[in-house]
Amino acid sequence: MFTIGERVMVSRDNDNENYDSFRNKVLVVTHIATNKQEHKGYDGNLEAPLYDLELENGEAINCSLYEYELEYAD
């Protein structure tokens, strides 16, 4: 599990075109949800943390990503 403040990127294996605007950019974890009370979009069936992220310059991205959609930034 990633922690708040960690630097991550969209996983190289992830081909979701909705992530193209921030693909190959370093993102910073700002919030971690592990249940529906912590994030209204959380899907408990996935049993994976859901992360809110921002670009390194502090600009928020337009969606939250699950742990399996991310990898550590180089």
Side-chain angles (χ1 to χ4, degrees):
M1 182 157 95
F2 303 109
T3 59
I4 292 176
E6 274 196 286
R7 297 172 36 161
V8 297
M9 297 179 76
V10 175
S11 172
R12 292 178 187 101
D13 297 333
N14 190 317
D15 62 357
N16 186 327
E17 64 188 35
N18 293 322
Y19 304 160
D20 287 349
S21 65
F22 51 87
R23 186 180 307 283
N24 300 318
K25 294 181 180 177
V26 175
L27 307 169
V28 179
V29 176
T30 61
H31 181 260
I32 304 165
T34 57
N35 60 57
K36 193 81 163 171
Q37 290 74 34
E38 295 173 348
H39 193 293
K40 65 179 181 170
Y42 183 81
D43 183 349
N45 294 321
L46 297 178
E47 297 183 2
L50 180 62
Y51 297 92
D52 290 335
L53 307 154
E54 63 184 24
L55 297 173
E56 286 187 293
N57 67 5
E59 180 184 339
I61 63 168
N62 60 353
C63 59
S64 302
L65 282 77
Y66 285 96
E67 184 172 40
Y68 64 86
E69 298 178 290
L70 299 168
E71 60 187 44
Y72 288 103
D74 297 329

